[in-house]
Amino acid sequence: DAEITQSPRHKITETGRQVTLACHQTWNHNNMFWYRQDLGHGLRLIHYSYGVQDTNKGEVSDGYSVSRSNTEDLPLTLESAASSQTSVYFCASSGTKGPQETQYFGPGTRLLVL
Amino acid sequence: GQSLEQPSEVTAVEGAIVQINCTYQTSGFYGLSWYQQHDGGAPTFLSYNGLDGLEETGRFSSFLSRSDSYGYLLLQELQMKDSASYFCAVKSGANNLFFGTGTRLTVIP
């Protein structure tokens, strides 16, 4: 069965360190997204990609970067982790950009920045 | 900009019906979606409305009124497992989904 996985599921890091969160999907979807979820804010879009070599900034992109070298993977990098980046991070993918877009979410990564 | 408003919490009795409302402000509106998220889990797609009216999927229905910038999710025959957070999301001119802050539904016996 097709799926979308994230690793690690839990991560503790220190302020200033570089951290990379992995996202891998076997849906063969062109579109991939990274969100962060915080209490009171719902899901906020960090970065997204519509295909290989394509990346775009979302609503809260400062301090984050992504790269898309193949269809299956969209790693999210925190260049220099800050305590404000403590959050739950979700990766998602979709097969269409049309109005009736269904996004499939990974299980999430809980990140704690000390 | 975009904004979505939905109640933060709703409590309902098992077997009853509950309605979760969502009002939105956005440019280039293309449709309203609903996602369910259980505690500790990932959001999962429930329904989509691109046109005015009611869409039914089993115990869940979703309604949209584009003229009122309003929609709702209707859950019937509530079960304990329906206790979760429910998010409305709009597809707008930016071609991305913009999510509301979610409604936490608690189903009580």
Side-chain angles (χ1 to χ4, degrees):
Chain A
D1 285 349
E3 62 177 355
I4 179 166
T5 57
Q6 295 182 233
S7 62
R9 295 294 311 279
H10 303 271
K11 175 77 175 178
I12 300 174
T13 191
E14 296 177 343
T15 302
R17 289 190 180 269
Q18 184 181 76
V19 176
T20 296
L21 309 183
C23 174
H24 180 80
Q25 54 99 1
T26 58
W27 292 95
N28 199 33
H29 285 162
N30 284 326
N31 310 327
M32 295 185 72
F33 309 85
W34 273 104
Y35 295 89
R36 61 177 289 174
Q37 186 173 37
D38 307 285
L39 277 175
H41 288 282
L43 290 153
R44 291 184 292 174
L45 185 63
I46 306 172
H47 281 286
Y48 59 99
S49 168
Y50 288 145
V52 176
Q53 303 301 331
D54 176 74
T55 61
N56 306 279
K57 294 181 178 180
E59 180 188 3
V60 290
S61 61
D62 286 350
Y64 303 94
S65 64
V66 293
S67 62
R68 188 89 180 269
S69 59
N70 58 52
T71 301
E72 298 79 17
D73 299 289
L74 186 71
L76 176 72
T77 297
L78 286 69
E79 303 294 344
S80 177
S83 58
S84 60
Q85 294 178 308
T86 292
S87 186
V88 181
Y89 291 86
F90 286 99
C91 180
S93 71
S94 73
T96 174
K97 288 193 286 184
Q100 195 167 349
E101 176 188 12
T102 298
Q103 293 192 5
Y104 298 86
F105 284 79
T109 294
R110 290 184 176 274
L111 178 66
L112 176 61
V113 182
L114 299 175
Chain B
Q2 296 156 100
S3 69
L4 288 163
E5 285 193 23
Q6 51 180 132
S8 58
E9 294 182 352
V10 172
T11 300
V13 178
E14 189 177 16
I17 299 173
V18 72
Q19 178 174 313
I20 299 174
N21 299 320
C22 175
T23 57
Y24 60 86
Q25 284 187 312
T26 182
S27 57
F29 176 82
Y30 293 131
L32 184 70
S33 299
W34 290 92
Y35 284 75
Q36 178 192 59
Q37 184 181 29
H38 287 99
D39 284 349
T44 57
F45 174 80
L46 282 179
S47 69
Y48 168 83
N49 293 75
L51 301 174
D52 286 0
L54 194 68
E55 294 284 341
E56 297 180 71
T57 308
R59 295 188 296 113
F60 293 2
S61 303
S62 57
F63 172 83
L64 175 66
S65 169
R66 295 171 70 116
S67 61
D68 295 323
S69 299
Y70 163 76
Y72 65 72
L73 180 69
L74 192 73
L75 294 81
Q76 303 181 74
E77 301 172 18
L78 278 173
Q79 301 176 10
M80 300 299 291
K81 67 179 182 179
D82 297 330
S83 290
S85 292
Y86 293 85
F87 295 87
C88 58
V90 294
K91 195 82 184 293
S92 71
N95 210 35
N96 292 316
L97 282 179
F98 183 82
F99 287 83
T101 54
T103 298
R104 186 177 184 88
L105 170 65
T106 301
V107 180
I108 57 176

Coordinates of all heavy atoms in Angstrom, one line a residue, chain A residues 3 13 23-24 28 34 37 39 45 50 52 56 65 71 92-93 99 101-102 113:
Chain A
E3 N 2.1 4.9 1.0 CA 2.1 5.6 2.3 C 3.0 6.8 2.2 O 3.8 7.0 1.3 CB 2.5 4.6 3.3 CG 4.0 4.1 3.1 CD 4.4 3.1 4.3 OE1 3.7 3.0 5.2 OE2 5.5 2.6 4.1
T13 N 16.6 18.6 20.2 CA 17.9 19.2 19.8 C 18.1 20.5 20.6 O 17.3 20.9 21.4 CB 17.8 19.5 18.3 OG1 19.1 19.9 17.8 CG2 16.9 20.7 18.0
C23 N 10.9 13.2 5.0 CA 9.6 12.8 4.5 C 9.7 12.0 3.2 O 10.4 12.4 2.3 CB 8.8 14.1 4.3 SG 7.2 13.7 3.5
H24 N 9.1 10.9 3.2 CA 9.1 9.9 2.1 C 7.7 9.4 1.7 O 7.0 9.0 2.6 CB 10.1 8.8 2.4 CG 10.2 7.8 1.3 ND1 11.1 8.0 0.3 CD2 9.6 6.6 1.1 CE1 11.0 6.9 -0.6 NE2 10.1 6.1 -0.1
N28 N 3.7 8.4 -5.4 CA 4.2 8.9 -6.6 C 3.5 10.2 -6.9 O 3.2 10.6 -8.1 CB 3.9 7.9 -7.8 CG 4.7 8.3 -9.0 OD1 5.9 8.7 -8.9 ND2 4.2 8.0 -10.2
W34 N 5.1 20.8 3.7 CA 5.5 20.7 5.1 C 4.6 21.7 5.9 O 4.5 22.9 5.5 CB 7.0 21.0 5.3 CG 7.9 19.9 5.2 CD1 8.7 19.6 4.1 CD2 8.1 18.8 6.1 NE1 9.3 18.4 4.3 CE2 9.0 17.9 5.6 CE3 7.6 18.6 7.4 CZ2 9.4 16.8 6.3 CZ3 8.0 17.5 8.1 CH2 8.9 16.6 7.5
Q37 N 2.3 22.4 13.3 CA 1.1 22.5 14.0 C 1.4 22.9 15.5 O 2.1 22.2 16.2 CB 0.3 21.2 14.0 CG -1.1 21.3 14.7 CD -1.9 20.0 14.5 OE1 -1.4 18.9 14.5 NE2 -3.2 20.2 14.3
L39 N -0.6 24.7 19.1 CA -1.9 25.0 19.7 C -2.3 26.4 19.4 O -1.5 27.4 19.5 CB -1.7 24.9 21.2 CG -1.8 23.5 21.8 CD1 -1.6 23.5 23.3 CD2 -3.2 22.9 21.5
L45 N 1.5 26.3 6.7 CA 2.3 25.9 5.6 C 3.7 26.5 5.7 O 3.9 27.7 5.8 CB 1.7 26.2 4.3 CG 2.3 25.7 3.0 CD1 2.3 24.2 3.0 CD2 1.6 26.2 1.8
Y50 N 6.0 21.4 -6.1 CA 5.1 20.8 -7.1 C 5.8 19.8 -8.0 O 5.2 19.3 -9.0 CB 4.4 21.9 -7.9 CG 3.3 22.7 -7.2 CD1 3.2 24.0 -7.4 CD2 2.5 22.1 -6.2 CE1 2.2 24.7 -6.7 CE2 1.6 22.8 -5.5 CZ 1.4 24.1 -5.8 OH 0.5 24.8 -5.1
V52 N 10.0 17.8 -8.9 CA 11.4 17.7 -8.7 C 12.0 19.1 -9.1 O 11.7 19.7 -10.1 CB 12.0 16.6 -9.6 CG1 13.5 16.6 -9.5 CG2 11.5 15.2 -9.1
N56 N 8.9 26.1 -3.0 CA 8.2 27.4 -2.8 C 8.0 27.7 -1.3 O 7.8 26.7 -0.5 CB 6.8 27.4 -3.5 CG 6.9 27.0 -4.9 OD1 7.2 27.8 -5.8 ND2 6.6 25.7 -5.2
S65 N 14.3 25.4 5.2 CA 14.6 25.2 3.8 C 14.2 23.8 3.4 O 14.1 22.9 4.3 CB 16.0 25.5 3.5 OG 16.9 24.6 4.1
T71 N 11.1 12.5 -6.7 CA 9.6 12.5 -6.5 C 9.2 12.1 -5.1 O 8.3 12.7 -4.5 CB 8.9 11.6 -7.5 OG1 9.2 12.1 -8.8 CG2 7.4 11.7 -7.3
A92 N 2.9 16.3 4.0 CA 1.8 15.8 3.2 C 2.1 15.7 1.7 O 3.0 16.4 1.3 CB 0.6 16.8 3.5
S93 N 1.3 15.0 1.0 CA 1.5 14.9 -0.4 C 0.1 14.9 -1.1 O -0.9 14.5 -0.4 CB 2.3 13.7 -0.8 OG 1.6 12.5 -0.7
P99 N -9.0 22.0 -7.7 CA -9.8 22.5 -6.6 C -10.0 21.4 -5.6 O -10.0 21.6 -4.4 CB -11.0 23.0 -7.2 CG -10.7 23.3 -8.6 CD -9.6 22.4 -9.0
E101 N -8.5 19.0 -4.2 CA -7.2 18.4 -3.8 C -7.3 17.7 -2.5 O -7.8 18.3 -1.5 CB -6.1 19.5 -3.7 CG -4.8 19.0 -3.2 CD -3.8 20.1 -3.0 OE1 -4.2 21.2 -3.0 OE2 -2.6 19.8 -2.8
T102 N -6.9 16.5 -2.4 CA -6.9 15.7 -1.1 C -5.4 15.6 -0.7 O -4.6 15.0 -1.5 CB -7.5 14.3 -1.3 OG1 -8.9 14.5 -1.6 CG2 -7.4 13.6 0.0
V113 N 13.1 21.9 20.8 CA 14.4 22.7 20.7 C 14.6 23.3 22.1 O 13.9 24.1 22.6 CB 14.3 23.8 19.7 CG1 15.7 24.5 19.6 CG2 13.9 23.2 18.3

